[in-house]
Amino acid sequence: MRLLLVEDDALLVKNLKAALCADGYVVDTADNGIEGEYLGAVEPYDLVILDLGLPQRPGLEVLQNWRKSGLKMPVLVLTGRDQWHEKVDGFKAGADDYLGKPFHIEELMQRIKALIRRSHDVHEVEIKTSGLVLDEERQQVRLADGRDVALTGTEFRLLRYFMLHPGRILSKTRLTEHVYDMDFDRDSNVMEVYVRRLRDKIGKGMIQTRRGQGYVFGGDD
Ligand code: CA
């Protein structure tokens, strides 16, 4: 899952980025409204965390511009303390959720997970598909035979993306975009290596290769 964090408070960005990365998210950041709006428009984010009080362009305007141009990614808005009218304005502009500052990082984490599940029509707490159950807290997967298998950070990010898109052809480029941040060398073949390792853990048949197109995960529930 690839997230965009648009926030100008450098300390908050540092803490949030560390917590999000530890939970297996790839995070790009912008510290002003203009750069944030640009990144949100050109990169395929699974979710955006958007502060409303931003330099150069207010967060509300950024959000309105995204929605006007048809961008539908879930957006969680961060508002100042007791700024109830900001929350109302945020929802009107197309926010999916909000959190008032100061907040506990754990609450933000749970809201992000809920928003991502909702945006994929997953309404249970665990992600279950094709006989697998993904444990997001422990970053491990339960196989159909009941065995729990530990995953590395990259394997976890990759499997979560597969499990949220079962039966769909996912190109290597798309997988790379959602599993690594902007600085990653996207031309490399490491995605094939990670898919192979994942197959060794969850079963060869779980991920099909479509020559020239990419990979398809599971499919029959
Ligand atoms: Ca701010």
Side-chain angles (χ1 to χ4, degrees):
M1 298 285 112
R2 188 153 172 221
L3 271 51
L4 173 63
L5 171 60
V6 190
E7 167 64 67
D8 58 319
D9 177 338
L11 183 64
L12 184 58
V13 168
K14 184 168 168 270
N15 292 338
L16 277 184
K17 191 168 178 179
L20 288 164
C21 291
D23 264 18
Y25 297 100
V26 175
V27 185
D28 295 335
T29 58
D31 64 3
N32 67 77
I34 289 178
E35 191 193 356
E37 182 178 327
Y38 172 75
L39 283 176
V42 299
E43 298 288 338
Y45 293 109
D46 299 289
L47 181 132
V48 178
I49 302 163
L50 178 68
D51 182 33
L52 291 188
L54 289 170
Q56 295 182 37
R57 185 171 296 163
L60 207 59
E61 199 180 314
V62 171
L63 180 56
Q64 282 165 339
N65 290 342
W66 282 337
R67 295 312 190 213
K68 248 185 269 167
S69 56
L71 293 165
K72 296 193 174 73
M73 69 285 198
V75 174
L76 189 153
V77 154
L78 301 178
T79 64
R81 184 200 294 263
D82 298 331
Q83 299 291 304
W84 65 269
H85 55 90
E86 282 195 339
K87 292 169 194 166
V88 175
D89 292 343
F91 279 121
K92 280 188 190 160
D96 299 275
D97 200 359
Y98 72 86
L99 203 51
K101 291 178 186 173
F103 53 84
H104 289 285
I105 285 189
E106 185 53 31
E107 181 178 0
L108 179 68
M109 293 302 169
Q110 295 306 328
R111 284 178 183 271
I112 288 170
K113 279 181 195 155
L115 267 184
I116 288 177
R117 280 195 296 265
R118 219 188 300 155
S119 71
H120 289 91
D121 273 333
V122 176
H123 299 283
E124 291 98 23
V125 175
E126 293 160 319
I127 301 173
K128 292 182 206 172
T129 182
S130 305
L132 302 183
V133 182
L134 191 68
D135 183 334
E136 291 187 273
E137 305 295 328
R138 296 196 179 94
Q139 303 198 355
Q140 63 184 28
V141 62
R142 177 160 297 167
L143 306 184
D145 63 10
R147 267 188 307 137
D148 287 321
V149 177
L151 300 165
T152 65
T154 306
E155 290 165 353
F156 169 73
R157 295 198 294 273
L158 187 58
L159 182 57
R160 178 167 55 187
Y161 200 76
F162 271 130
M163 288 180 71
L164 286 169
H165 302 86
R168 301 247 296 267
I169 295 176
L170 301 173
S171 68
K172 269 187 230 171
T173 309
R174 180 166 168 184
L175 289 170
T176 305
E177 280 171 351
H178 289 272
V179 173
Y180 294 103
D181 62 25
M182 290 194 286
D183 303 326
F184 184 76
D185 173 12
R186 293 182 185 180
D187 296 327
S188 79
N189 288 322
V190 295
M191 189 50 70
E192 287 173 27
V193 177
Y194 281 115
V195 168
R196 201 179 313 139
R197 283 188 200 158
L198 207 47
R199 279 177 173 143
D200 287 343
K201 290 193 172 180
I202 65 171
K204 298 246 183 295
M206 297 301 289
I207 303 169
Q208 311 288 335
T209 300
R210 296 287 175 88
R211 203 162 291 278
Q213 294 176 295
Y215 301 101
V216 176
F217 172 81
D220 348 290
D221 251 318

